[in-house]
Amino acid sequence: MTTSKPDATVLRTFAPERHDHRRCVSTALSKADAACTASGLRLTPLRRRVLELVWGSHTPVKAYDLLAILGRERHQAAPPTVYRALDFLQEAGLVHRLASMNAFVGCGEPGGTHAGQFLICSGCGTVAELAEPGLSKTIAASAERLGFEVVRETIEIEGVCADCRRSKPRTGRGAASTAAK
Amino acid sequence: MTTSKPDATVLRTFAPERHDHRRCVSTALSKADAACTASGLRLTPLRRRVLELVWGSHTPVKAYDLLAILGRERHQAAPPTVYRALDFLQEAGLVHRLASMNAFVGCGEPGGTHAGQFLICSGCGTVAELAEPGLSKTIAASAERLGFEVVRETIEIEGVCADCRRSKPRTGRGAASTAAK
DNA sequence: AGTAAGCTTGTTAGATGATAACATCAAATA
DNA sequence: TATTTGATGTTATCATCTAACAAGCTTACT
Ligand SMILES: [Zn+2]
Ligand SMILES: [Zn+2]
Ligand SMILES: [Zn+2]
Ligand SMILES: [Zn+2]
């Protein structure tokens, strides 16, 4: 889902308990329409549908899952169909590919192309997208010292989101032995 | 290659002009022997050979490249052979998998398992491994604000190393039109 | 030594992820 | 309308990774 007021650096936050996800989707599609119109890109029915499917899932979507769905809807769909659409959406800055899990998520702040920074919950699979300038700065500084010029950042942090921590509290919670650290 | 004196945060630096890479390999193997002995893991001939091959290449190695080499040496080698060895080596903290390019590199500081931070040169393919605590700290802080508990970090920075920048200076160097930005 | 248990490797088969190459169709342009 | 460009359909293939079971080694115990 998208943040209502851009929470400092959070472009896309974890899904809250209950929310009308259809609104997330339609908002994303509207933004996409606007962005493509603005930059003269063609958000064709196929591409739009793929974007809708990507947003439709709350968790990252696999290319072959999309393929299966498209195969049912249209009566033809081969891998290139979905991969081409995804390539377009990535280049348009509308979706991101998560290298660590070969899957795709809708971008929480489309428009300008940007490398994303992601928090991926291994419990529920949801993803938050950050834009933490401090992070890029720290990276750039480290790189600088080695004379390395940064072109693209892949930052994917796996862990457990707040909801999942609440529902499955770790053993030793509170002041027990294995808790700290 | 490995750093002689742990350069603050650089676990594995870019390969310099000329160096005796065989020494890098044998050093890595010795460290691996020691680490496995210490933790009671079995670095079998096969696993050791795979590690040697990974280190033998200056750049990240693909699983199927290893498979091809093993196929020549032994007269039998199927995908599970190499993937199992790589799994072992990863869990033993001897190699890292680079998710952004489906390839493997030797760990510059084996022993404790750790998530790596990598600078990958798109010019020459070499990789540097960092352990920048500031980076992890910044990430942890961002995650904290969302109640997210970090488990594993995937940080892979693509760019151009110092050597490659020198040998192929970008157009517009200095004060030209396309330079800045 | 004998032998059972568990780890390691061999082997076959297949799932999943991604791309090349060419044909066809639709939209934009001249 | 004719031409050109871009989007999609189609077929085939490559690349990456894993499941499942069989066979071989090591280790530990009797
Ligand atoms: Zn949502
Ligand atoms: Zn984004
Ligand atoms: Zn390492
Ligand atoms: Zn380089």
Side-chain angles (χ1 to χ4, degrees):
Chain A
M1 61 145 315
T2 52
T3 52
S4 44
K5 77 169 132 61
D7 198 344
T9 61
V10 181
L11 302 186
R12 173 192 174 123
T13 186
F14 296 107
E17 317 69 41
R18 283 272 144 254
H19 73 283
D20 184 357
H21 193 57
R22 284 166 306 180
R23 280 193 54 195
C24 297
V25 177
S26 62
T27 300
L29 288 176
S30 300
K31 281 194 192 176
D33 286 330
C36 286
T37 301
S39 50
L41 296 173
R42 293 179 52 194
L43 191 61
T44 63
L46 173 62
R47 292 166 174 173
R48 199 168 190 280
R49 178 62 182 140
V50 169
L51 179 60
E52 188 179 21
L53 289 174
V54 170
W55 268 101
S57 165
H58 235 169
T59 56
V61 184
K62 302 273 193 169
Y64 272 65
D65 292 342
L66 295 172
L67 187 57
I69 297 172
L70 289 178
R72 257 173 268 135
E73 297 183 351
R74 322 161 75 85
H75 72 105
Q76 76 279 30
T81 302
V82 67
Y83 278 106
R84 282 195 287 231
L86 288 170
D87 283 349
F88 170 87
L89 294 172
Q90 274 180 94
E91 267 159 38
L94 298 171
V95 306
H96 293 285
R97 179 170 183 276
L98 300 179
S100 64
M101 55 192 301
N102 298 331
F104 301 80
V105 285
C107 174
E109 195 73 16
T113 305
H114 56 256
Q117 305 167 347
F118 303 94
L119 303 182
I120 306 169
C121 177
S122 51
C124 60
T126 55
V127 171
E129 178 178 359
L130 309 179
E132 187 69 70
L135 209 49
S136 297
K137 238 187 228 169
T138 307
I139 289 169
S142 288
E144 191 67 29
R145 265 182 289 135
L146 295 175
F148 187 89
E149 180 189 6
V150 174
V151 173
R152 204 168 50 88
E153 302 175 5
T154 298
I155 301 176
E156 299 173 19
I157 312 301
E158 191 187 310
V160 188
C161 76
D163 276 3
C164 288
R165 288 170 78 181
R166 268 192 293 275
S167 56
K168 310 170 201 162
R170 290 162 303 159
T171 55
R173 188 71 181 296
S177 51
T178 59
K181 204 272 134 146
Chain B
M1 55 143 322
T2 53
T3 53
S4 43
K5 76 169 135 59
D7 197 345
T9 61
V10 181
L11 302 187
R12 174 192 174 122
T13 186
F14 296 109
E17 317 67 41
R18 282 274 146 252
H19 72 284
D20 185 358
H21 193 56
R22 285 166 304 179
R23 280 193 56 193
C24 297
V25 176
S26 63
T27 300
L29 288 176
S30 299
K31 281 193 191 176
D33 286 329
C36 287
T37 301
S39 50
L41 297 173
R42 293 180 51 195
L43 190 62
T44 63
L46 173 63
R47 291 166 174 171
R48 200 168 189 280
R49 178 62 181 141
V50 169
L51 179 59
E52 187 179 21
L53 289 174
V54 170
W55 267 101
S57 166
H58 211 210
T59 55
V61 184
K62 301 273 192 168
Y64 271 68
D65 292 341
L66 295 173
L67 187 56
I69 297 171
L70 288 179
R72 257 173 267 136
E73 297 184 348
R74 320 161 77 83
H75 72 106
Q76 75 279 34
T81 301
V82 66
Y83 279 106
R84 282 194 288 230
L86 288 168
D87 283 349
F88 170 86
L89 294 172
Q90 273 181 97
E91 268 158 39
L94 299 172
V95 306
H96 294 285
R97 179 171 187 274
L98 300 179
S100 64
M101 55 190 300
N102 299 332
F104 300 81
V105 284
C107 174
E109 195 74 14
T113 306
H114 56 255
Q117 304 168 348
F118 302 94
L119 303 182
I120 306 169
C121 176
S122 51
C124 60
T126 55
V127 171
E129 178 178 0
L130 310 179
E132 187 70 71
L135 207 51
S136 297
K137 237 186 229 169
T138 307
I139 289 170
S142 289
E144 191 67 29
R145 265 181 288 137
L146 295 174
F148 187 89
E149 180 189 6
V150 174
V151 173
R152 203 169 51 88
E153 301 176 3
T154 297
I155 301 175
E156 299 173 17
I157 312 302
E158 192 187 310
V160 188
C161 76
D163 275 3
C164 288
R165 286 170 80 181
R166 268 193 293 277
S167 57
K168 310 170 201 164
R170 291 162 301 161
T171 55
R173 190 73 178 295
S177 51
T178 59
K181 202 277 136 135

